[in-house]
Amino acid sequence: MTDTQVNVQESPEDDYALDKELVANVVAAIEAMDAIALDTLLERLHPADVADLLEQIDPSERRALLSLWSMGIDGDILSELEESLREEVIAFLPAGVLEEAVRDLDSDDVVDLIEDLEDQQQEQILEALNDADRVAVEQALAFPEFSAGRLMQRELVVAPQHWTVGEAIDHLRSEDDLPDAFYHVILVDSAYHPVGYVTLGRLLGSPRQTPLTELQETSFRVIPVTQPERDVAYAFNQYHLISAPVVDEDDRLVGVITIDDAMVVLDEEAEEDILRLAGVGGDESLSDRTLETVRQRFPWLAVNLGTAILASVVISQFEEILSQIVALAVLMPIVASMGGNAGTQSLTVAVRAIATRDLTGSNLLRVVRREAVAGLINGVIFAVVMAIIGVLWFGTPLLGIVIAVAMVVNLVVAALAGILIPIGLEKLGVDPALASGAFVTTVTDVVGFFAFLGLAGALLV
Amino acid sequence: MTDTQVNVQESPEDDYALDKELVANVVAAIEAMDAIALDTLLERLHPADVADLLEQIDPSERRALLSLWSMGIDGDILSELEESLREEVIAFLPAGVLEEAVRDLDSDDVVDLIEDLEDQQQEQILEALNDADRVAVEQALAFPEFSAGRLMQRELVVAPQHWTVGEAIDHLRSEDDLPDAFYHVILVDSAYHPVGYVTLGRLLGSPRQTPLTELQETSFRVIPVTQPERDVAYAFNQYHLISAPVVDEDDRLVGVITIDDAMVVLDEEAEEDILRLAGVGGDESLSDRTLETVRQRFPWLAVNLGTAILASVVISQFEEILSQIVALAVLMPIVASMGGNAGTQSLTVAVRAIATRDLTGSNLLRVVRREAVAGLINGVIFAVVMAIIGVLWFGTPLLGIVIAVAMVVNLVVAALAGILIPIGLEKLGVDPALASGAFVTTVTDVVGFFAFLGLAGALLV
């Protein structure tokens, strides 16, 4: 079946971006309403690439493609689609195609597929499943969103802990319906508690009479079914897990999570952090419509307007001196801007360190001290530079001193705010990636303008 | 061996952060110079947690811990340590301990461990390896940094494509030295080209006489040995690969990359993007010393100083009107700040979309249009709000119109700059995560001040 292999080295520039020519050919086939050409082009693509293509073409092209090629849409393609497009695509599929598509998926993929759909579409898909799968999916949906219970698959490969390699292999050979992907045989005691696991590699490499307990891995972690998926992803990454059994509150085995699912979560969480740090709604996607984009960007801009007005109120307290010395108006944005940037640096490092559990009670004091001293050193360097520029530009040594002192003050404050604000928000249960930026910028703007204009008022009049 | 299982649910607040009490106990044992207590505390920790602990305690405590517990440091702990600490720790280990530590590692882990060490330490570790391992590591080091060749392991499990399940299992049982972790048997032709693979689950679940070719997975991707590791991680995430064979320029099998290595790279790349977007050197770590922190933050602050001065030069062109209408000095930071934030939103979305191959020639025009229209809509909303505030605050309707128009202009420009600048940098081969921020902020500052003060000059005097 190597004919389905897609050459990953098609372009020297980018191995994996969708081929521009391919997309152009697909669009041409859509416009010509040539279903056979379309099928030839799409059938050799990986489902993830078909989903990317559906996301990248125009909405009108997408509808035309779905009309021509609805029977080509399978469960894997639906799983790969961005949530914002799934409803649209599912609504477009003939009922028979949709039912066929979801029947081949593992229960965890069905859960992932339908958890954000409207009730009616959810119902339609649930009805397409056989009884066992439907019960499995409904049980998973009973767990909180973003929990291990939603992420896990229920298809398990277990063995009583007293079995030998031969017994386990014979059992596997007699099973008709093994999961699509599994990497361990989970050993359970008589109460169905997981007690260890054996990798398939060790199972295959050992004589039949070897007891499974002799092959058990030394490190073994179970995941509570209610654990947030963010923590699950962290555990996989931190402890290099390949798969991990999931247990209920009585420590009984209820499912298994595999590394590929954890990798998807890790990627989504990083994406969400990046977008939130920039003030964008964490689930914005490139195929969103314009109004959705406006909605995702608006809240942060509104918050920023509030903090900017607060800074303006600070400035307005110094209208008198500003009208006397217009150079202050020219230079004041520099102090605020440097503070804002230094604060963003510190807060980003802090937010990531909190997410990766590297910033704890044990090193907090040292990290805060380091940030403050680093802020002081950079503050002094840039203060000297700015003092020289201020004197050369405006010819007033006192103005140079004012801007230098304000710069040092604001960079130290920025460093401290950048680390203490995310930590404080985390303690209050607020996502520091989401909210730190607004607070830190407010602090650096207010302190920057106040220090610069206040000092100017004291020294220059 | 379930006694080595660490309960992951120790604290309801955070399942995986290092236990504060544990760290306190470790520090107490270090201070009491109690090697036995220290050993009891540390030996049940996962190597990744020991590494985190070494990173989180004070440098002086770390040195004391290493003196007391040097024989406890194994290769896994060294692998888990941040690069910035590895040299320090390795320099501290007695030669015998270091040699013992590296001998147990797979070749890819040794490569990862030593690639950033100084020559002398590299030499010391290479000498500790047996001949076969040393050759493997030296060959890997001959590949470019951050390439698939550095990431892959050379320990392979292959089978001729004409074998049956029984032949493969017999071969695995007869091998003394199977890799620690493997998930597939790679099928090769007579010229050692990989032609497909069989998952261990299918191997175990099938009768002995089944030909391996019948069990082959339909989708199968090979990774060129020179491919950048960022692309490798993307491929694993996009195509849900568990392992992938690596081939040389003649398409011959030279190694294999597994998903756990790809997950580490994916995590590192996201981390690097997050830090770079905030203007922090991509390899900053929390255990860096103060001067290293200063060094990581300095370049971006210097660039920002340049852009801030440029903005000040723009402002200085309007000194006359600023001295006449001081309200302009009060309000002007608002326009620049809103533009800066809107630009950061757009550029972050664009940088991520480039990294995930979601922004391509096929949808570029549509995305640019969407950004511009979204910027326009948000611009109009905030323009109306600011016009009202401006009129209420300063009682001048014309001032309200000036700030409103400047706001609309700057938010549209911000949206366009935020998407076009990262794309332009990418085309020039510059990492858009690293450099976009400076350019976009310069544009929004300059345009913001110029539009606001220029309009004011035209309308208000």
Side-chain angles (χ1 to χ4, degrees):
Chain A
M1 298 219 210
T2 47
D3 59 339
T4 59
Q5 179 193 347
V6 177
N7 185 350
V8 295
Q9 276 289 52
E10 268 162 15
S11 126
E13 268 189 26
D14 193 330
D15 291 343
Y16 296 114
L18 270 185
D19 188 1
K20 243 172 139 166
E21 204 183 302
L22 172 81
V23 179
N25 289 340
V26 167
V27 171
I30 293 169
E31 281 165 6
M33 297 190 34
D34 184 344
I36 292 164
L38 193 62
D39 194 52
T40 313
L41 288 164
L42 295 179
E43 72 169 358
R44 56 192 290 275
L45 285 186
H46 189 281
D49 288 332
V50 177
D52 279 354
L53 192 140
L54 282 169
E55 289 158 12
Q56 288 181 22
I57 58 180
D58 278 344
S60 60
E61 289 165 355
R62 186 159 57 233
R63 280 189 295 275
L65 187 153
L66 290 173
S67 307
L68 280 167
W69 199 64
S70 67
M71 68 295 172
I73 305 290
D74 61 18
D76 289 325
I77 295 174
L78 291 178
S79 290
E80 300 285 351
L81 270 182
E82 275 172 14
E83 280 164 27
S84 56
L85 277 188
R86 259 185 219 159
E87 287 193 8
E88 179 188 327
V89 171
I90 287 176
F92 215 88
L93 293 181
V97 173
L98 178 62
E99 284 156 22
E100 187 69 34
V102 295
R103 249 177 240 140
D104 283 342
L105 293 174
D106 273 342
S107 64
D108 56 333
D109 292 325
V110 177
V111 171
D112 182 50
L113 182 65
I114 74 173
E115 59 186 355
D116 295 311
L117 295 180
E118 283 167 18
D119 287 350
Q120 200 203 328
Q121 287 189 332
Q122 238 182 44
E123 206 52 49
Q124 191 189 350
I125 289 178
L126 284 173
E127 275 167 22
L129 299 173
N130 66 40
D131 287 351
D133 284 346
R134 184 167 53 245
V135 169
V137 170
E138 284 172 340
Q139 283 177 346
L141 288 174
F143 292 111
E145 228 186 324
F146 310 119
S147 69
R150 291 277 183 109
L151 199 60
M152 71 187 186
Q153 62 183 53
R154 282 156 180 276
E155 292 84 358
L156 287 171
V157 179
V158 296
Q161 56 181 333
H162 55 78
W163 274 11
T164 62
V165 167
E167 286 173 295
I169 293 183
D170 292 344
H171 168 71
L172 290 173
R173 288 213 179 112
S174 69
E175 276 278 325
D176 293 337
D177 199 21
L178 289 174
D180 281 352
F182 67 105
Y183 315 105
H184 294 106
V185 173
I186 302 168
L187 305 187
V188 290
D189 66 13
S190 55
Y192 217 64
H193 300 142
V195 294
Y197 57 30
V198 175
T199 68
L200 298 189
R202 296 200 121 209
L203 204 60
L204 275 164
S206 305
R208 282 183 64 89
Q209 65 279 15
T210 316
L212 292 180
T213 43
E214 275 185 23
L215 303 177
Q216 225 167 279
E217 295 296 298
T218 51
S219 91
F220 160 70
R221 276 163 197 279
V222 297
I223 306 275
V225 72
T226 53
Q227 187 170 81
E229 60 174 22
R230 182 179 269 253
D231 294 349
V232 174
Y234 177 82
F236 271 81
N237 194 34
Q238 170 85 348
Y239 302 117
H240 310 293
L241 306 178
I242 300 300
S243 71
V246 180
V247 296
D248 64 14
E249 65 268 36
D250 302 320
D251 288 329
R252 259 193 294 265
L253 182 65
V254 291
V256 65
I257 294 175
T258 51
I259 184 174
D260 48 327
D261 296 316
M263 190 168 179
V264 170
V265 174
L266 191 79
D267 188 50
E268 284 172 356
E269 296 289 334
E271 179 85 11
E272 193 179 276
D273 274 0
I274 291 176
L275 293 178
R276 285 186 165 184
L277 279 166
V280 181
D283 50 355
E284 170 158 339
S285 92
L286 217 60
S287 52
D288 285 343
R289 282 150 200 278
T290 307
L291 281 182
E292 177 60 20
T293 306
V294 171
R295 206 183 62 77
Q296 294 273 356
R297 311 279 172 89
F298 182 85
W300 179 255
L301 291 174
V303 168
N304 182 62
L305 183 65
T307 77
I309 288 174
L310 196 63
S312 289
V313 170
V314 172
I315 298 171
S316 70
Q317 306 308 306
F318 299 95
E319 283 192 0
E320 205 184 304
I321 189 161
L322 276 169
S323 65
Q324 289 165 30
I325 311 175
V326 77
L328 296 179
V330 173
L331 291 173
M332 69 181 186
I334 297 179
V335 178
S337 159
M338 291 296 280
N341 274 273
T344 302
Q345 290 179 328
S346 295
L347 95 81
T348 304
V349 170
V351 165
R352 282 306 292 173
I354 291 169
T356 56
R357 275 81 166 171
D358 289 329
L359 187 59
T360 63
S362 317
N363 60 351
L364 176 58
L365 206 67
R366 190 160 43 83
V367 173
V368 170
R369 204 168 49 218
R370 187 198 67 171
E371 287 292 328
V373 175
L376 183 66
I377 295 175
N378 270 326
V380 169
I381 297 173
F382 288 107
V384 171
V385 174
M386 260 324 289
I388 295 170
I389 292 174
V391 170
L392 291 180
W393 193 350
F394 295 97
T396 327
L398 261 182
L399 185 63
I401 292 176
V402 166
I403 199 164
V405 175
M407 186 81 88
V408 174
V409 169
N410 209 20
L411 258 62
V412 173
V413 168
L416 289 175
I419 190 148
L420 295 176
I421 287 173
I423 289 169
L425 289 172
E426 164 80 5
K427 289 235 184 294
L428 294 174
V430 180
D431 179 1
L434 188 63
S436 298
F439 287 100
V440 172
T441 316
T442 307
V443 169
T444 55
D445 273 0
V446 166
V447 169
F449 290 127
F450 191 84
F452 179 63
L453 297 175
L455 270 170
L459 294 180
L460 294 180
V461 185
Chain B
M1 297 223 214
T2 47
D3 58 339
T4 58
Q5 179 194 349
V6 177
N7 185 349
V8 295
Q9 275 288 51
E10 266 162 16
S11 124
E13 266 188 28
D14 193 331
D15 290 343
Y16 296 114
L18 271 184
D19 188 2
K20 241 172 140 168
E21 205 184 302
L22 172 80
V23 179
N25 289 340
V26 167
V27 171
I30 293 170
E31 280 165 6
M33 296 187 39
D34 185 344
I36 293 165
L38 194 61
D39 195 51
T40 313
L41 288 165
L42 294 180
E43 70 168 1
R44 56 192 289 275
L45 284 187
H46 189 281
D49 288 332
V50 177
D52 279 354
L53 192 140
L54 283 168
E55 288 158 13
Q56 286 180 24
I57 58 180
D58 278 342
S60 61
E61 288 165 354
R62 186 159 57 232
R63 281 189 294 275
L65 187 153
L66 290 172
S67 308
L68 280 168
W69 199 64
S70 68
M71 68 296 171
I73 304 291
D74 60 19
D76 289 326
I77 295 174
L78 291 178
S79 290
E80 301 285 351
L81 270 182
E82 274 172 14
E83 280 163 27
S84 56
L85 277 186
R86 258 186 218 159
E87 287 194 8
E88 178 188 328
V89 171
I90 286 175
F92 214 88
L93 293 182
V97 174
L98 179 62
E99 284 156 21
E100 188 68 34
V102 294
R103 249 178 240 138
D104 283 342
L105 292 175
D106 273 342
S107 65
D108 58 332
D109 292 325
V110 177
V111 171
D112 182 51
L113 181 65
I114 74 172
E115 59 185 355
D116 295 311
L117 295 180
E118 284 165 19
D119 288 350
Q120 199 203 327
Q121 286 189 331
Q122 240 183 41
E123 207 51 51
Q124 192 188 350
I125 289 178
L126 283 174
E127 276 168 21
L129 299 174
N130 66 41
D131 288 349
D133 284 346
R134 183 167 54 244
V135 169
V137 170
E138 283 172 341
Q139 283 177 344
L141 289 174
F143 291 111
E145 227 186 323
F146 310 119
S147 69
R150 291 277 183 106
L151 198 61
M152 70 187 186
Q153 62 183 54
R154 282 156 179 277
E155 292 84 359
L156 288 171
V157 180
V158 296
Q161 56 181 332
H162 56 76
W163 275 11
T164 61
V165 167
E167 287 173 295
I169 292 183
D170 292 344
H171 168 71
L172 289 172
R173 289 216 178 110
S174 69
E175 277 279 324
D176 293 338
D177 199 23
L178 288 174
D180 281 353
F182 67 105
Y183 315 104
H184 295 107
V185 173
I186 301 168
L187 306 187
V188 290
D189 66 15
S190 55
Y192 217 64
H193 300 142
V195 293
Y197 58 30
V198 175
T199 68
L200 299 189
R202 297 201 119 209
L203 204 59
L204 275 164
S206 305
R208 282 183 64 90
Q209 64 279 12
T210 316
L212 292 180
T213 43
E214 275 185 24
L215 304 177
Q216 225 167 281
E217 296 295 298
T218 52
S219 92
F220 159 71
R221 276 164 197 277
V222 297
I223 306 273
V225 72
T226 53
Q227 186 169 81
E229 61 174 22
R230 182 180 269 252
D231 294 350
V232 174
Y234 177 82
F236 270 80
N237 194 34
Q238 170 84 348
Y239 302 117
H240 310 293
L241 307 177
I242 300 301
S243 72
V246 180
V247 295
D248 64 15
E249 65 268 36
D250 301 320
D251 288 331
R252 260 193 293 265
L253 182 65
V254 291
V256 65
I257 294 175
T258 51
I259 184 174
D260 47 328
D261 296 316
M263 191 169 179
V264 170
V265 173
L266 191 79
D267 188 50
E268 283 172 358
E269 295 290 334
E271 179 85 11
E272 194 179 275
D273 275 359
I274 291 176
L275 294 177
R276 285 185 165 186
L277 278 167
V280 181
D283 51 353
E284 169 157 341
S285 91
L286 217 61
S287 53
D288 285 343
R289 281 150 200 279
T290 308
L291 281 183
E292 177 60 19
T293 306
V294 171
R295 206 183 62 76
Q296 295 273 356
R297 312 278 173 90
F298 181 85
W300 179 255
L301 291 175
V303 168
N304 183 61
L305 183 64
T307 76
I309 288 174
L310 195 64
S312 290
V313 170
V314 172
I315 298 171
S316 71
Q317 306 308 307
F318 301 94
E319 283 193 0
E320 204 184 303
I321 190 162
L322 276 168
S323 66
Q324 288 166 30
I325 310 176
V326 78
L328 296 179
V330 172
L331 291 174
M332 68 181 187
I334 296 179
V335 178
S337 160
M338 291 295 281
N341 275 273
T344 302
Q345 290 178 328
S346 295
L347 94 81
T348 305
V349 170
V351 165
R352 282 307 291 174
I354 291 170
T356 56
R357 274 83 167 170
D358 288 330
L359 187 59
T360 64
S362 317
N363 60 351
L364 176 59
L365 205 68
R366 189 161 43 82
V367 173
V368 170
R369 204 170 47 218
R370 186 198 68 171
E371 287 292 327
V373 176
L376 183 66
I377 296 175
N378 270 325
V380 169
I381 297 173
F382 288 107
V384 171
V385 174
M386 260 325 288
I388 296 170
I389 293 174
V391 171
L392 291 179
W393 192 351
F394 295 98
T396 328
L398 261 182
L399 185 63
I401 291 175
V402 166
I403 198 164
V405 174
M407 185 81 87
V408 173
V409 169
N410 208 20
L411 258 61
V412 173
V413 168
L416 289 174
I419 190 148
L420 294 176
I421 287 174
I423 287 170
L425 289 171
E426 164 79 5
K427 290 236 182 294
L428 295 174
V430 180
D431 178 1
L434 188 63
S436 298
F439 287 99
V440 172
T441 317
T442 306
V443 169
T444 55
D445 273 1
V446 167
V447 170
F449 290 128
F450 190 84
F452 180 63
L453 297 174
L455 270 171
L459 294 180
L460 294 179
V461 186

